[in-house]
Amino acid sequence: MGEAAGENADAANAMMTTSFSVAIFAGGAVGAVVVDGVGAPVLPAGMIAFTLIALVTVGFGRRAAFPTGR
């Protein structure tokens, strides 16, 4: 992260930490709405769907994030 950000490494690290915090909040909020609205049995299917989306995103983004020759 620091190498990709160059001289703005401090700002990039702060943004990454903030994005993790926002993601944790969003996951809790969405989970609460799902459990309250639909019920807990739906959570495993949702986790599987989000996991597949994350794997596809990482698979396609890997070449851009880690180019060969670095």
Side-chain angles (χ1 to χ4, degrees), residues 24-50:
I24 291 168
F25 165 76
V30 169
V33 168
V34 168
V35 168
D36 191 39
V38 181
V42 176
L43 288 179
M47 288 189 302
I48 291 170
F50 282 129

Side-chain angles (χ1 to χ4, degrees), residues 11-62:
N13 284 331
M15 288 174 56
M16 187 168 76
T17 303
T18 302
S19 68
F20 286 144
S21 296
V22 169
I24 291 168
F25 165 76
V30 169
V33 168
V34 168
V35 168
D36 191 39
V38 181
V42 176
L43 288 179
M47 288 189 302
I48 291 170
F50 282 129
T51 301
L52 292 175
I53 291 169
L55 288 173
V56 168
T57 302
V58 168
F60 284 121
R62 190 173 64 165

